[in-house]
Amino acid sequence: MTQRAVPVVLVATSGTGKTTLAHRLVDGPGHYVFSISATTRPPRPREQDGIDYHFLSQQAFEDRVAHGSFAEWASVHDRMYGTPRSELDAAAERGDHVVLDIDIQGARQIREAVPDATLIFVLPPSVDIMMARLTGRGTEKRENIARRLESALDELQAVPEFDYVVVNDDLEECLSDIRGIVERGEAPAPPEQDAEGMRRVIVELLEGEYSADLQDSE
Ligand code: 5GP
């Protein structure tokens, strides 16, 4: 059965390749559009205003919060991020699946505001691979990596709140799983990966290799 177009919320730990997945969904077949969030963080190299994010000053962001312009907003790693209502409204009018690449706090707000939204958690294949992607970016300081690992603990704990769990091991397979969910309501095979097991590995990293970095960031 073809599913009615509803917002598709993708949440993952950093280093899972979620942003690549979101962009590939939009570039591929089917009616997918990317919800362009607003943020107060500065653009990274190669990011473009109005394409990757709407980059706003703190004041401009706060004005929009006061006007109720966001469907959800949250502070992530000390920066503000929000989903403009206009992104959801425009997609709904066109009958497009709007893909939200947002954090766990935002996902919970969307769950409240748009009860029929589809919430999908994207797991990395393993903590090792997640760490390789995180450190391989080369743009993150050790204390930022430690902070992202701390966030990952909370995110992985929230996995049971999600409608579906997919694993981004093979990108094409993961895309196909997400399309199956969104377009046909097909649940993918339950993952072999275990979020609780991943949390234990991350706790070990935070208590061992990254313990000094975590103290630096506090
Ligand atoms: P980054 O700065 O690496 O692009 O994103 C940091 C985190 O903020 C990611 O988990 C991303 O999904 C999340 N994020 C991006 N846009 C939004 C948004 O509009 N709302 C919320 N709540 N989180 C967002």
Side-chain angles (χ1 to χ4, degrees):
M1 195 183 74
T2 305
Q3 303 287 297
R4 198 164 61 82
V6 294
V8 179
V9 178
L10 297 182
V11 171
T13 56
S14 294
T16 304
K18 175 179 65 159
T19 305
T20 307
L21 274 171
H23 285 282
R24 281 290 307 275
L25 272 177
V26 171
D27 293 341
H31 295 275
Y32 292 90
V33 290
F34 184 62
S35 164
I36 303 170
S37 295
T39 182
T40 61
R41 86 151 160 73
R44 296 197 182 113
R46 286 188 296 281
E47 280 183 336
Q48 287 177 272
D49 188 33
I51 294 181
D52 299 288
Y53 280 104
H54 300 288
F55 294 100
L56 299 182
S57 66
Q58 184 72 25
Q59 187 60 53
F61 193 100
E62 285 173 14
D63 288 348
R64 290 182 195 204
V65 170
H67 282 102
S69 307
F70 293 123
E72 63 74 33
W73 64 273
S75 166
V76 184
H77 307 306
D78 297 334
R79 301 288 190 175
M80 317 287 275
Y81 292 83
T83 302
R85 283 187 196 283
S86 53
E87 296 285 319
L88 304 191
D89 294 345
E93 242 170 59
R94 291 191 304 261
D96 288 337
H97 299 292
V98 58
V99 180
L100 279 64
D101 169 355
I102 63 177
D103 87 320
I104 181 74
Q105 307 168 74
R108 288 181 175 134
Q109 293 174 52
I110 293 290
R111 168 69 92 210
E112 290 293 311
V114 191
D116 60 356
T118 303
L119 269 59
I120 303 177
F121 199 99
V122 188
L123 280 177
S126 68
V127 174
D128 276 357
I129 293 175
M130 179 184 116
M131 287 304 291
R133 287 178 181 157
L134 264 182
T135 51
R137 263 185 207 166
T139 53
E140 300 289 352
K141 291 193 225 141
R142 280 184 69 90
E143 62 240 47
N144 284 345
I145 291 173
R147 277 210 297 185
R148 284 172 190 269
L149 287 176
E150 271 206 317
S151 303
L153 286 181
D154 294 337
E155 288 149 4
L156 289 168
Q157 199 166 30
V159 166
E161 296 172 35
F162 283 72
D163 300 314
Y164 300 97
V165 181
V166 296
V167 179
N168 188 16
D169 188 356
D170 179 279
L171 182 70
E172 299 304 327
E173 272 176 34
C174 188
L175 280 169
S176 156
D177 283 347
I178 295 175
R179 290 202 185 102
I181 292 169
V182 174
E183 295 167 25
R184 297 180 295 282
E186 278 170 13
E192 286 165 19
Q193 285 76 0
D194 149 42
E196 268 313 303
M198 287 187 181
R199 291 185 81 240
R200 284 193 292 275
V201 177
I202 293 172
V203 168
E204 275 171 26
L205 282 170
L206 284 171
E207 287 176 349
E209 205 184 320
Y210 281 88
S211 59
D213 303 296
L214 205 54
Q215 279 147 20
D216 286 351
S217 72
E218 279 165 4

